[in-house]
Amino acid sequence: MVAAVIEANLNGFGGFSFLRPMFPFKNIRELTCLFVTLCVLTSHSLADEQEFIEDFLKREYSLVKPYRGLGFSSSSQWDLMGTAMVTPDHVRLTPDLQSRQGAVWSRVPLTVRDWELKVHFKIHGQGKKNLNGDGMAIWLTRDRMQDGAVFGSMNQFTGLGVFVDTYPNAEKNLDKTQPGTQVASETSVCPTSGKRSSHYLHRFPVSPRDASSRACASCSCGASVLLLLPRPPLTSPRLPSQRTFPYVSVMLGNGTLSYDHDYDGRPTELGGCTATARNALHDTFLLLRYSKSRLTLAVDVDGKQEWVDCADITGLKLPSGYFFGASSATGDLSDNHDLISMKLFQLTVERTPEEEDEEEEVTVPRVDNMEQFRVDVQEEGMSGVQLVVTLLFSAMGLGVLAVVGVSVYGRWKENRRKRFY
């Protein structure tokens, strides 16, 4: 019966007899058999290609379902911290409750040279837009399992941090600033050259009578002087223009830089983009790729299954032996922060002998041509004012020593004279 059906279907191709001169087959049945064979071979080749990609998945660095023994078994490659809890579908770093912190950290230090990290996450909650917080972070750092103020992990970290910030702290701080508010600026002033450089510290209200600039103290070259300056425009590096949240940003820490929550980390941001990942009806992903001292970040949060470029940082160097992790925190505002998977793939990258020689191993993360990651120690000679002050105090010190010496010598001489009477 099946043969009869196939025969009937093949007879239906009789209208395509004009194709026979192009295909030297005796009948359409041979062409059909060839087509079926090609389909089977193609399916096998696609399966083989899929297996080839999976072979690059480094499971010792990946967090995937099912999360057997996560945080409890000695055989698990990951640890839980804080309020993080495991469910069959995800690892919930923080629930939609106030003042919670949670994290998950890999136990295995990363030794892969070129890699790609795909992060599947979900942020959702009951709060309205801009009434939720605070966000989550993906880490590759030297220190693990350290709680702190940066999305549930430590500040002044050493390594890489990718932040999904859902609350606009900088804009809220600007809204609280009144028209009569002044900005405190720590300024380094040199009397001889008149040059000064300043950075803004904090805001506080002052009366219009005190709105003019004034100094608390003045001293020699190189001293710190506190000035009251008019509030800078919104285009200032410390008070940047508005941006849409959630916002994804990249920061590289060298152990001394601090993440500035009040300004959403903008002073130390290397790159970033807007990513409307909160309360999405579809899956949301991040993709980090590191190869040849270049870090790229892409996002897929629109449900189009397309990667959108977010940041591209060249000249970035990361040491080996750091740990992957993910953390989250809530404050007065909250959200559910769920981590579904973190998959690390090892990349096969060819390098020329010249590139091998130029690529150096580093012990501290750094970015080329970025001054805040460089520590330059320079010995400067004394200026004229410093020389005069030094000579003046030296002369005064010598004078005091001379007076004390003369007084001591007089007493000693007088005591010696009395000894002979």
Side-chain angles (χ1 to χ4, degrees), residues 148-168:
V150 184
F151 299 99
S153 190
M154 64 179 294
N155 207 343
Q156 295 183 345
F157 59 91
T158 302
L160 180 69
V162 179
F163 310 120
V164 185
D165 194 353
T166 59
Y167 183 76

Side-chain angles (χ1 to χ4, degrees), residues 103-361:
V104 58
W105 284 94
S106 173
R107 296 177 179 175
V108 183
L110 180 67
T111 57
V112 177
R113 191 177 186 182
D114 304 287
W115 49 266
E116 183 178 86
L117 180 69
K118 184 179 181 181
V119 182
H120 186 188
F121 68 99
K122 185 177 182 64
I123 300 176
H124 57 105
Q126 300 297 323
K128 297 181 180 180
K129 184 178 181 180
N130 292 341
L131 291 177
N132 56 278
D134 287 328
M136 62 183 298
I138 306 299
W139 303 98
L140 178 60
T141 58
R142 181 188 63 189
D143 305 305
R144 60 186 295 272
M145 303 290 289
Q146 301 290 326
D147 60 350
V150 184
F151 299 99
S153 190
M154 64 179 294
N155 207 343
Q156 295 183 345
F157 59 91
T158 302
L160 180 69
V162 179
F163 310 120
V164 185
D165 194 353
T166 59
Y167 183 76
N169 292 285
E171 296 175 13
K172 301 302 179 182
N173 289 335
L174 290 178
D175 293 340
K176 296 178 182 179
T177 305
Q178 301 300 323
T181 300
Q182 300 292 311
V183 178
S185 171
E186 187 181 68
T187 306
S188 179
V189 182
C190 183
T192 56
S193 63
K195 295 181 180 180
R196 64 182 182 180
S197 60
S198 60
H199 60 276
Y200 298 100
L201 300 177
H202 57 275
R203 308 182 189 88
F204 53 92
V206 296
S207 62
R209 181 178 303 176
D210 296 330
S212 60
S213 299
R214 62 182 184 269
C216 298
S218 61
C219 49
S220 60
C221 179
S224 293
V225 179
L226 183 65
L227 302 178
L228 294 182
L229 303 176
R231 186 177 63 185
L234 293 181
T235 56
S236 167
R238 295 290 291 176
L239 299 176
S241 59
Q242 294 183 352
R243 59 175 50 161
T244 304
F245 281 74
Y247 191 87
V248 183
S249 62
V250 180
M251 175 181 170
L252 193 66
N254 60 1
T256 61
L257 294 177
S258 296
Y259 179 85
D260 191 346
H261 260 296
D262 292 338
Y263 293 95
D264 303 315
R266 302 186 196 189
T268 53
E269 177 186 321
L270 296 180
C273 65
T274 296
T276 55
R278 183 178 181 269
N279 282 343
L281 300 178
H282 39 263
D283 293 334
T284 50
F285 299 91
L286 295 177
L287 184 68
L288 275 172
R289 175 176 290 184
Y290 179 70
S291 178
K292 293 185 178 181
S293 301
R294 180 185 180 186
L295 180 75
T296 58
L297 171 65
V299 297
D300 178 11
V301 296
D302 298 327
K304 299 179 180 179
Q305 297 182 353
E306 296 178 354
W307 293 113
V308 178
D309 294 337
C310 183
D312 191 342
I313 307 157
T314 58
L316 186 147
K317 295 178 174 58
L318 290 170
S320 179
Y322 283 13
F323 298 90
F324 279 114
S327 66
S328 175
T330 63
D332 294 335
L333 303 175
S334 62
D335 256 339
N336 294 306
H337 298 90
D338 300 337
L339 180 65
I340 300 173
S341 67
M342 292 177 65
K343 296 181 179 180
L344 185 88
F345 296 89
Q346 183 176 5
L347 303 178
T348 302
V349 179
E350 295 183 357
R351 287 176 170 82
T352 63
E354 292 77 11
E355 290 176 336
E356 291 284 355
D357 295 337
E358 293 176 358
E359 191 162 321
E360 58 178 334
E361 293 186 2

